[in-house]
Amino acid sequence: MVLNQVIYVDRHIYRFNQTETHAKHDAVVSFKVIETSTNKSSEWEAKEDVITSVNGRQIKSKVAILSRNCYREQLQWYPIVKKSDVLKLVKLQVQGSPSQVLFIVGSTVNGKTPVTYYYLNELTRGLKAWLLVPETSLLGNELSPDRLLSYQTVDPRNTVFVSNSVAGIVSATQGGMIQTLEQFALSQGVTAQYQVNLSAEEHILSLKTQLKHLYQLPLTGLVNRSALTFDASTAALFRLAALPGIVIITLYLVLAVQVSEYKADSAKQELRVATKEANLVLNQYQEINEMIGRYGRLGENSPQSTQLLNVWKVLAPMYELGVIFSDVTQQQQTVTLRFTADSASRALQLLIKQGGVTNAKFVGSVRRQSNMDAATVQFELSANKLSLPVEDAIESVKMIDREKDKPLLETP
């Protein structure tokens, strides 16, 4: 498909013709003539996909490779480093030329930039290809500086010499004082160690191979600007086709803007609802965290083990006998009890009788005030042994008093 968009221009116009062979991955590449001159009035007979034109040749191809017979080379150096300035100067140089001129800007060397001009002759007149590529620039693109190239054109009587020097790719046709590669090298001031000689068939194959590297060439100066201009009929047709296209594109853009605004409003509404819900969730999360913090601080100040029910089972019998409690403190299983009673010893006796109470003892001295004993008792509490009912505990204490038939132990 790519080769169908490429033509080769010499005294005839050719296309690449590739023929497969029996050998694996092997093919024979040759040129096939698609247009020839038939009379002296510059009328051309069209063959295959060639368009007949009296004033020139028009070929349906995007790329035209120009034979060395189609142009004359000229190399010039400019003391300019900036490439944009070089391009401006080159466009001024080729603007007034009587023939079409292609150019390639080389790399700057010692503050100077080389430019190779290709002045086209009548063999290229009427070509409508978008890109015009001199074949020497294509063949010399991959040529190393230590090599010289010579090849035969389609016409075996013509031989072309090519080298890749500091100034860029230079070439010359065989004739006059230049008959060999050595004479060509001397004329260009080039020293090379290797020589490459291509036959006409090898020249065609090399062109096809180098087409893969066409993108490496600076293509700015190789564009065929005459093929990109519109004639009056084409411009009128373009205007007729452009108006409906502009209307359709405008309507599409207006519709696209409306749809985009609607989608944007919907997205904003959804974003507002989502933001409100997110704020509500965040507030609830913050309140939960505050409650957890408060409960944590409360837990730090609360006792590690609270057995209020078991303590009440112990204190209830004493409360029934008129003991007045002023302070009850519990730490683990140890309970400290401050109370006032008619008899502290009787109260201690009643406490000892309680199931699950062990190591009951007075802490400090017992004081007698206003016919009442004030004392502090400390005891240990075992919850699983609190099995004695309150009434039984009280009755047992009263039984002890009746047996003694005397007052309880006086407070020391």
Side-chain angles (χ1 to χ4, degrees), residues 255-283:
L255 182 60
V257 169
Q258 296 297 327
V259 173
S260 300
E261 290 180 354
Y262 173 76
K263 291 184 177 180
D265 292 339
S266 301
K268 288 181 181 178
Q269 184 65 25
E270 293 177 359
L271 180 61
R272 283 194 294 267
V273 174
T275 303
K276 185 177 180 180
E277 294 178 353
N279 290 334
L280 180 60
V281 173
L282 289 176
N283 291 335

Side-chain angles (χ1 to χ4, degrees), residues 360-378:
K361 59 183 178 180
F362 285 114
V363 178
S365 60
V366 179
R367 298 183 301 279
R368 186 73 179 179
Q369 299 176 355
S370 302
N371 297 325
M372 298 289 288
D373 290 340
T376 302
V377 176
Q378 189 176 79

Side-chain angles (χ1 to χ4, degrees), residues 10-308:
D10 199 326
R11 289 180 174 82
H12 306 293
I13 296 180
Y14 307 86
R15 286 198 188 278
F16 287 93
N17 183 33
Q18 181 169 306
T19 304
E20 300 293 336
T21 61
H22 295 289
K24 189 176 181 180
H25 303 299
D26 192 11
V28 176
V29 181
S30 60
F31 278 150
K32 182 178 181 180
V33 179
I34 61 172
E35 185 259 15
T36 56
S37 176
T38 56
N39 52 46
K40 297 182 181 180
S41 61
S42 299
E43 293 183 359
W44 301 89
E45 179 184 0
K47 296 182 180 180
E48 294 187 359
D49 59 348
V50 181
I51 300 176
T52 303
S53 174
V54 176
N55 298 324
R57 293 170 291 179
Q58 299 178 359
I59 309 298
K60 290 183 179 179
S61 297
K62 303 299 185 293
V63 180
I65 301 176
L66 306 182
S67 168
R68 184 61 177 83
N69 297 322
C70 295
Y71 57 88
R72 174 177 56 87
E73 283 187 11
Q74 182 182 2
L75 175 65
Q76 289 189 5
W77 289 84
Y78 297 104
I80 304 173
V81 177
K82 193 174 181 180
K83 190 173 181 179
S84 60
D85 295 338
V86 175
L87 290 175
K88 291 178 182 178
L89 181 59
V90 170
K91 290 178 181 179
L92 289 176
Q93 292 286 341
V94 302
Q95 190 172 7
S97 176
S99 61
Q100 188 174 1
V101 183
L102 307 177
F103 62 89
I104 292 180
V105 180
S107 302
T108 303
V109 180
N110 297 327
K112 295 183 178 181
T113 303
V115 178
T116 304
Y117 293 96
Y118 302 92
Y119 294 91
L120 308 185
N121 55 29
E122 66 278 357
L123 295 178
T124 63
R125 188 177 303 163
L127 289 177
K128 295 300 181 181
W130 293 355
L131 201 64
L132 304 178
V133 183
E135 67 174 354
T136 52
S137 66
L138 190 61
L139 293 173
N141 186 41
E142 295 295 324
L143 192 65
S144 58
D146 61 345
R147 293 177 180 270
L148 290 175
L149 171 66
S150 69
Y151 66 89
Q152 291 182 349
T153 62
V154 179
D155 186 350
R157 295 172 297 177
N158 295 332
T159 302
V160 181
F161 306 122
V162 183
S163 70
N164 195 347
S165 63
V166 178
I169 301 168
V170 293
S171 65
T173 55
Q174 183 181 27
M177 297 181 61
I178 301 177
Q179 296 293 330
T180 62
L181 272 175
E182 291 77 7
Q183 293 174 345
F184 167 71
L186 289 175
S187 66
Q188 299 293 334
V190 177
T191 57
Q193 301 177 1
Y194 304 100
Q195 297 182 3
V196 180
N197 299 302
L198 300 179
S199 63
E201 292 77 11
E202 292 172 337
H203 164 235
I204 299 172
L205 181 61
S206 180
L207 284 176
K208 176 182 176 295
T209 302
Q210 292 303 320
L211 277 174
K212 300 177 182 178
H213 307 285
L214 180 62
Y215 65 93
Q216 297 179 356
L217 291 176
L219 304 178
T220 304
L222 305 181
V223 176
N224 186 11
R225 301 186 184 279
S226 60
L228 301 179
T229 58
F230 300 108
D231 54 13
S233 59
T234 305
L237 181 62
F238 177 77
R239 285 194 297 270
L240 291 175
L243 183 58
I246 293 173
V247 172
I248 293 173
I249 293 174
T250 303
L251 292 176
Y252 171 77
L253 292 177
V254 171
L255 182 60
V257 169
Q258 296 297 327
V259 173
S260 300
E261 290 180 354
Y262 173 76
K263 291 184 177 180
D265 292 339
S266 301
K268 288 181 181 178
Q269 184 65 25
E270 293 177 359
L271 180 61
R272 283 194 294 267
V273 174
T275 303
K276 185 177 180 180
E277 294 178 353
N279 290 334
L280 180 60
V281 173
L282 289 176
N283 291 335
Q284 293 177 351
Y285 177 75
Q286 185 176 1
E287 292 176 358
I288 292 172
N289 285 338
E290 291 176 356
M291 294 174 62
I292 292 174
R294 288 198 298 270
Y295 290 143
R297 290 191 295 271
L298 182 60
E300 294 175 357
N301 298 325
S302 63
Q304 295 182 358
S305 177
T306 303
Q307 299 179 356
L308 299 179

